[in-house]
Amino acid sequence: MKAFVMRAPGGLDCLEIIEHSDPGAPGPGEIRVAVHATSLNYHDLLVATGQFPAADGRVLMSDGAGVVEVVGSGVTEFKPGDYVVSCFFPQWQDGLPQAPVGSFAGVPGDGIDGFASSHAVRSAHAFTHAPRGWSHAEAATITTAALTAWRALVADGGLKAADVVLALGTGGVAIAALQIAKLMGAAVIITSSSDEKLERARALGADHVINYRQHADWGTRARDWTGGRGVDHVLEIGGPGTLAQSIEAVRVGGHISLIGVLTGLSGDVPTAQLMTKQARLQGLIVGSRRQQQEFVAALNLSDIRPVIDRSFTFEQLPDAVRHQERGAHFGKICVEW
């Protein structure tokens, strides 16, 4: 079977399509899946560009969606023909995250082989059902980005109707957060450096938009839009370069989900301001299988469909990564085969 792998020492010039050994029939508790789509995340970008070193010959991509072909003995949750989508942390089934979840040792496309291949045989617990009626490309968008937004807002944040959500940027996590928040009856503020993207976010239901390049005090402006109260939830993707403004924006007792470090791995934190706000600053990485199942159940009761910026063919995967690198996308980038 064909697979896209990373060759040492890493980087886009080291991505290669190879004839990979077929995984064969599933063993007890496993399923064999014909994979048809994946979607790109910042984590995949770091692996593909060599910033997260991967083993020589590692099959790329954390997200995978496809069709169950065969089930192993003891599997009752799935049957041949079911549409399924992978889990980012297959070892994290439920409950609180444990120490191993903090690493990427068990993450597809990083510590273990990913889903840039025609077939995969994994534990049945490494997948959930895909949302009903979704294409494989659409389903592939929930594994990492959308589940992160769901966990930040609903599972950990306790999002309620009439809450105000501030989401930074217009990538996969932010746009999923916008859709989830509107589904739950919340108001949403979106930031971006592009007026065009802000107008697209407004068309999707954003209640207020701020161009952070034009307004360095975007956190203050977000707070002012709430009448001075502050926002209830912040999806913080920048890290040290944006955290101060996120703290400025959040209400007393509010919730900041630190889900990205695009501006650096370390930096100053305005601790006195954070203490005065009595805000909860929570770092998080994606979510558990149980949270993904709950998210899929919610999607099955809604009319939400993911926003896909562009879809590439399997052979164009390096081009998809370059498109992500440029940062011009709105929503998710997918690869289908």
Side-chain angles (χ1 to χ4, degrees):
M1 68 174 189
K2 292 188 183 301
F4 237 118
V5 301
M6 169 66 76
R7 290 301 189 191
L12 290 179
D13 293 337
C14 297
L15 305 189
E16 179 184 349
I17 296 179
I18 66 166
E19 282 296 331
H20 201 277
S21 58
D22 189 276
E30 295 181 333
I31 59 176
R32 177 183 170 97
V33 176
V35 184
H36 291 292
T38 186
S39 77
L40 274 69
N41 304 283
Y42 188 63
H43 175 261
D44 300 300
L45 173 67
L46 294 176
V47 174
T49 55
Q51 297 175 68
F52 273 12
D56 182 54
R58 172 70 70 229
V59 179
L60 298 167
M61 306 308 294
S62 296
D63 301 352
V67 183
V68 176
E69 287 189 334
V70 186
V71 301
S73 62
V75 175
T76 58
E77 185 176 356
F78 303 106
K79 65 182 184 304
D82 283 349
Y83 279 30
V84 295
V85 60
S86 63
C87 297
F88 187 85
F89 288 122
Q91 73 275 28
W92 183 17
Q93 294 291 297
D94 197 2
L96 296 173
Q98 303 298 316
V101 173
S103 75
F104 297 115
V107 171
D110 191 335
I112 62 175
D113 280 343
F115 292 101
S117 61
S118 60
H119 292 82
V121 172
R122 307 286 168 90
S123 166
H125 293 157
F127 296 89
T128 70
H129 287 280
R132 288 194 298 268
W134 284 30
S135 70
H136 297 306
E138 289 174 326
T141 67
I142 74 171
T143 294
T144 304
L147 181 59
T148 297
W150 173 264
R151 178 186 169 195
L153 292 177
V154 180
D156 290 348
L159 180 69
K160 306 183 300 299
D163 279 356
V164 180
V165 174
L166 171 60
L168 279 57
T170 54
V173 176
I175 297 305
L178 167 60
Q179 294 177 300
I180 292 167
K182 298 309 295 183
L183 177 67
M184 302 287 285
V188 180
I189 304 171
I190 292 284
T191 69
S192 173
S193 62
S194 165
D195 287 336
E196 179 185 355
K197 289 182 179 181
L198 290 174
E199 287 308 307
R200 293 184 66 182
R202 197 188 294 276
L204 283 173
D207 299 274
H208 187 56
V209 298
I210 305 171
N211 187 314
Y212 65 78
R213 186 161 291 166
Q214 297 173 8
H215 304 289
D217 61 341
W218 50 266
T220 301
R221 288 174 176 266
R223 187 197 65 216
D224 290 347
W225 186 79
T226 68
R229 175 178 178 271
V231 305
D232 300 279
H233 308 270
V234 182
L235 274 79
E236 167 59 69
I237 66 168
T242 54
L243 184 56
Q245 283 297 307
S246 290
I247 295 173
E248 182 69 28
V250 77
R251 69 167 171 83
V252 173
H255 181 219
I256 302 173
S257 298
L258 180 59
I259 61 176
V261 288
L262 298 181
T263 63
L265 299 180
S266 62
D268 294 333
V269 176
T271 51
Q273 185 185 24
L274 181 63
M275 181 181 66
T276 301
K277 284 290 185 78
Q278 300 182 70
R280 178 160 56 106
L281 175 60
Q282 179 181 359
L284 61 87
I285 304 174
V286 196
S288 68
R289 182 175 188 255
R290 173 67 67 185
Q291 289 167 343
Q292 183 163 310
Q293 290 173 315
E294 292 169 349
F295 181 34
V296 170
L299 291 171
N300 285 337
L301 296 174
S302 78
D303 59 358
I304 287 179
R305 301 302 277 259
V307 176
I308 297 177
D309 174 86
R310 186 175 170 187
S311 195
F312 292 78
T313 66
F314 185 78
E315 291 76 15
Q316 293 175 319
L317 193 151
D319 295 327
V321 177
R322 292 185 183 96
H323 183 58
Q324 185 184 26
E325 256 189 326
R326 288 192 290 270
H329 59 286
F330 182 94
K332 292 292 291 179
I333 301 168
C334 292
V335 178
E336 301 178 74
W337 59 94

